[in-house]
């Protein structure tokens, strides 16, 4: 009975976080901090039945890439399948990671103390409340970090507010040029044609061994399969491209419950070499090349990913 009550309380708070803007959630936990404790108690209960935890995958990725030393002439091609070194500060050799919506701050606990210090990975953790001393309380849409100050940003099941695109904009602000954005999200959140008939959009509570038939199907590809982007994720990838991020490699959808994507911060396109070339073509009367197709301005958060809303 206690477990059922904890689960019910978690679902209620979880739905609130998904259906309100992040500044309102920050205020909610500031006035009722016990709700944050209840939420993470329920979240840990959910994690215990997952076949795998994407946080552990990010930790392994950081650890594996930290072992690779950068060499002159090393390929940074976005479509490269080789394991690449982490982006690091040229002077200190430290890779600064911002774990946004960090929860229990497991990544910081792994690298900020003891033996983890040898890997030269510094983790800055932010969330709506501080579960450990490693965590700074903040609205992820408005972080107390300088511009271009971190090398990697991680969103691990953390794009929860109705304003999560502002989180992406903030990630772009704090990342250095060619810094990386790592995202892990629940597959069932991404909009499908039959989304209205999906019912309960939450998939985090499935027990080990259960599968989602829809997730198990071969994904439909959008236009060019060269990008390795199933159609269901195209709105999300295009939204990030519009905000200055280019997908690195292919979408990793091998896990039944979660999808992972890695992006690289690119320089702003406006006023760049491409614009100058297009202006030159226009002046000479040449045919203008087609501009990349981005999502329309009115494509909002709820049209890119669904919130976790539970059936009564």
């Amino acid at each position: 009975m206690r477990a059922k009550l904890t689960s019910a309380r978690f679902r209620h708070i979880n739905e609130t976080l998904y259906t309100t803007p992040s500044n309102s959630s920050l205020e909610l936990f500031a006035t009722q901090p016990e709700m944050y404790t209840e939420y993470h108690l329920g979240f840990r209960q959910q994690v215990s039945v997952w076949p795998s935890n994407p946080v552990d995958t990010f930790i392994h990725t950081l650890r594996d890439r930290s072992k690779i030393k950068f060499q002159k002439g090393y390929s940074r091609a976005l479509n490269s399948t080789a394991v690449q070194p982490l982006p690091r500060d040229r002077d200190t050799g430290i890779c600064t990671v911002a774990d946004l919506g960090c929860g229990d701050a497991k990544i910081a606990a792994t690298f900020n103390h003891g033996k983890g210090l040898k890997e030269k990975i510094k983790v800055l953790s932010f969330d709506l409340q501080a579960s450990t001393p490693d965590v700074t309380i903040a609205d992820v849409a408005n972080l107390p970090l300088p511009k271009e100050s971190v090398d990697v940003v991680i969103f691990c099941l953390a794009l929860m507010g109705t304003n999560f695109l502002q989180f992406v904009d903030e990630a772009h602000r704090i990342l250095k040029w060619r810094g990386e954005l790592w995202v892990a999200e629940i597959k069932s959140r991404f909009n499908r044609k039959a989304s209205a008939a999906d019912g309960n959009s939450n998939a985090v509570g499935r027990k080990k061994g259960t599968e989602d038939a829809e997730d198990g199907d071969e994904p439909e590809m959008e236009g060019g399969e060269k990008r390795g982007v199933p159609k269901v994720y195209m709105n999300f990838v295009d939204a990030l491209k519009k905000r200055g991020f280019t997908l690195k490699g292919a979408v990793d959808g091998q896990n039944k419950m979660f999808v992972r994507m890695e992006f690289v911060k690119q320089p702003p396109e406006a006023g760049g070499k491409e614009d100058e070339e297009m202006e030159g073509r226009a002046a000479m009367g040449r045919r203008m090349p087609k501009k990349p197709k981005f999502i329309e301005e009115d494509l909002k958060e709820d049209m890119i990913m669904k919130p976790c809303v539970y059936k009564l």
Side-chain angles (χ1 to χ4, degrees):
M1 179 62 70
R2 185 180 293 110
K4 288 182 179 180
L5 289 173
T6 299
S7 180
R9 186 62 171 160
F10 164 77
R11 289 197 299 270
H12 170 72
I13 301 173
N14 197 46
E15 184 171 326
T16 300
L17 296 177
Y18 274 107
T19 55
T20 56
S22 57
N23 60 345
S24 297
S25 297
L26 180 66
E27 183 178 351
L28 174 66
F29 286 142
T31 55
Q32 302 182 60
E34 69 280 1
M35 290 185 67
Y36 188 83
T37 302
E38 292 173 335
Y39 172 78
H40 278 284
L41 181 63
F43 184 77
R44 284 190 289 271
Q45 183 174 297
Q46 296 286 321
V47 172
S48 67
V49 299
W50 292 353
S52 63
N53 188 342
V55 168
D56 294 328
T57 302
F58 286 137
I59 290 173
H60 292 152
T61 300
L62 285 167
R63 183 157 281 156
D64 290 344
R65 290 181 61 182
S66 71
K67 298 174 183 177
I68 303 174
K69 294 183 179 180
F70 183 81
Q71 298 178 359
K72 189 175 182 180
Y74 192 93
S75 174
R76 289 189 175 184
L78 295 175
N79 59 356
S80 174
T81 56
V83 179
Q84 299 180 355
L86 287 170
R88 295 180 182 272
D89 183 90
R90 291 185 178 182
D91 298 324
T92 65
I94 295 175
C95 173
T96 302
V97 178
D99 184 9
L100 307 185
C102 63
D104 289 337
K106 187 176 181 179
I107 301 176
T110 302
F111 295 105
N112 284 2
H113 312 284
K115 294 181 180 179
L117 294 171
K118 297 179 180 180
E119 291 162 298
K120 289 192 173 184
I121 297 172
K122 178 182 178 182
V123 183
L124 307 175
S125 304
F126 298 90
D127 212 330
L128 299 172
Q129 277 290 312
S131 54
T132 76
D134 283 309
V135 183
T136 299
I137 298 175
D139 179 355
V140 175
N142 185 23
L143 295 167
L145 288 175
K147 180 180 179 182
E148 299 179 356
S149 58
V150 304
D151 302 290
V152 176
V153 167
I154 294 177
F155 286 116
C156 188
L157 312 182
L159 298 174
M160 297 182 70
T162 56
N163 59 323
F164 68 77
L165 287 178
Q166 292 180 15
F167 302 177
V168 177
D169 291 334
E170 186 69 344
H172 190 275
R173 184 187 70 83
I174 65 174
L175 272 170
K176 299 174 185 176
W177 178 70
R178 293 196 68 86
E180 299 182 15
L181 172 63
W182 300 357
V183 177
E185 264 304 334
I186 304 165
K187 280 186 173 180
S188 61
R189 286 197 64 197
F190 292 87
N191 276 330
R192 297 175 171 83
K193 293 179 181 179
S195 60
D198 281 350
N200 183 358
S201 64
N202 178 62
V204 299
R206 284 194 302 231
K207 295 184 178 180
K208 295 179 182 179
T210 61
E211 297 181 358
D212 186 332
E214 187 173 342
D215 289 342
D217 294 339
E218 185 67 23
E220 181 181 358
M221 304 302 286
E222 175 77 22
E225 293 190 19
K226 295 179 181 178
R227 294 179 62 186
V229 182
K231 187 174 182 180
V232 67
Y233 306 122
M234 281 300 299
N235 279 351
F236 183 80
V237 172
D238 283 345
L240 266 67
K241 182 176 181 181
K242 184 176 181 181
R243 287 160 176 82
F245 290 102
T246 299
L247 182 68
K248 178 184 177 185
V251 173
D252 181 0
Q254 295 182 1
N255 189 287
K256 288 291 182 180
M257 292 174 61
F258 309 108
V259 60
R260 289 194 311 113
M261 307 178 208
E262 293 183 5
F263 298 85
V264 176
K265 177 179 176 178
Q266 298 295 307
E269 295 181 355
K273 184 177 179 181
E274 182 180 346
D275 285 353
E276 293 176 4
E277 289 179 355
M278 293 180 73
E279 290 175 4
R281 282 174 175 264
M284 298 174 66
R286 294 183 183 179
R287 185 176 180 181
M288 298 288 286
K290 292 182 179 180
K291 288 188 175 182
K293 291 183 179 179
F294 296 125
I295 59 172
E296 298 295 330
E297 285 293 335
D298 60 351
L299 193 56
K300 303 299 183 183
E301 281 87 347
D302 60 353
M303 300 174 69
I304 298 171
M305 285 197 296
K306 298 180 292 184
C308 284
V309 178
Y310 301 83
K311 277 185 175 180
L312 297 177

